[in-house]
């Protein structure tokens, strides 16, 4: 897998950090900034959110690798061992969940966008939690949306 080539690449000198710190910090909130130094290895400045997203994605990737190394059972069965909350889902939903999580992970790594996989994981986990709490498509007042509806970014 490759990192998308069109991602913002920001490189700043260490002197920029001291002379224009507000500007560099604002830029680092949008995307990681590489700070070059004459006396040492370059450093990367990024937001806590970015760092946590990358750590969560790596943790998720480690779990997926463990699942793929096991050859006993279907993908959904193996993933249910790594993610026990999936057992609250129907068999068909476990199959959909497993494939959706793998697809989202591939997209995240291909584009260097951790939020894609983490959002998919969170969405399925919340769905499983709702189902375990007794909510289902037959529950009164509950409407499930089957169609993907795109909304504009606020």
């Amino acid at each position: 897998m490759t990192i998308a080539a069109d991602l913002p690449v920001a490189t700043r000198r260490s002197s920029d950090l001291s002379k224009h710190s507000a500007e560099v910090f604002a830029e680092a909130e949008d995307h990681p900034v590489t700070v070059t130094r004459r006396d040492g290895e370059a450093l990367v400045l990024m937001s806590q959110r970015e760092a946590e997203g990358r750590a969560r994605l790596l943790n998720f990737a480690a779990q997926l690798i463990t699942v793929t190394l096991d050859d006993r059972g279907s993908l959904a069965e193996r993933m249910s061992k790594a993610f026990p909350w999936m057992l609250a889902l129907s068999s068909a939903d476990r199959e959909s969940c497993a494939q959706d999580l793998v697809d989202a992970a591939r997209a995240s790594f291909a584009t260097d966008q951790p939020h894609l996989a983490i959002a998919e994981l969170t969405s399925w986990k919340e769905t499983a939690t709702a189902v375990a709490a007794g909510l289902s498509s037959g529950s009164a007042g509950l409407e499930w949306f089957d169609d993907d509806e795109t909304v504009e970014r606020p």
Side-chain angles (χ1 to χ4, degrees):
M1 290 184 202
T2 60
I3 303 297
D6 58 350
L7 292 175
V9 177
T11 302
R12 298 295 198 117
R13 295 182 310 261
S14 60
S15 60
D16 291 339
L17 192 55
S18 60
K19 293 177 185 174
H20 310 287
S21 59
E23 183 181 315
V24 175
F25 288 145
E27 192 172 357
E29 285 188 23
D30 292 335
H31 51 80
V33 175
T34 300
V35 179
T36 59
R37 305 179 310 161
R38 281 186 264 165
D39 62 343
E41 187 176 356
L43 302 174
V44 177
L45 181 64
M46 68 178 73
S47 69
Q48 180 78 28
R49 173 187 37 81
E50 179 82 22
E52 287 173 356
R54 289 170 183 247
R56 289 179 70 192
L57 182 60
L58 285 174
N59 183 37
F60 181 51
Q63 290 173 305
L64 284 181
I65 290 169
T66 300
V67 166
T68 59
L69 292 176
D70 184 1
D71 60 356
R72 292 167 287 162
S74 69
L75 176 62
E77 291 169 343
R78 296 188 317 255
M79 285 189 73
S80 294
K81 291 177 189 173
F83 306 105
W85 50 262
M86 285 179 63
L87 296 171
L89 301 170
S90 69
S91 179
D93 283 345
R94 280 194 299 272
E95 294 290 334
S96 293
C97 175
Q99 191 59 56
D100 288 353
L101 291 177
V102 169
D103 292 345
R106 292 179 67 201
S108 282
F109 280 111
T111 61
D112 196 29
Q113 298 296 313
H115 70 276
L116 299 174
I118 300 307
E120 193 70 31
L121 180 67
T122 302
S123 177
W124 273 109
K125 186 175 181 180
E126 292 298 325
T127 298
T129 301
V131 169
L135 297 176
S136 66
S137 58
S139 297
L142 183 64
E143 182 181 352
W144 292 81
F145 295 107
D146 292 327
D147 296 329
D148 289 335
E149 186 175 326
T150 303
V151 293
E152 289 185 33
R153 187 178 183 114

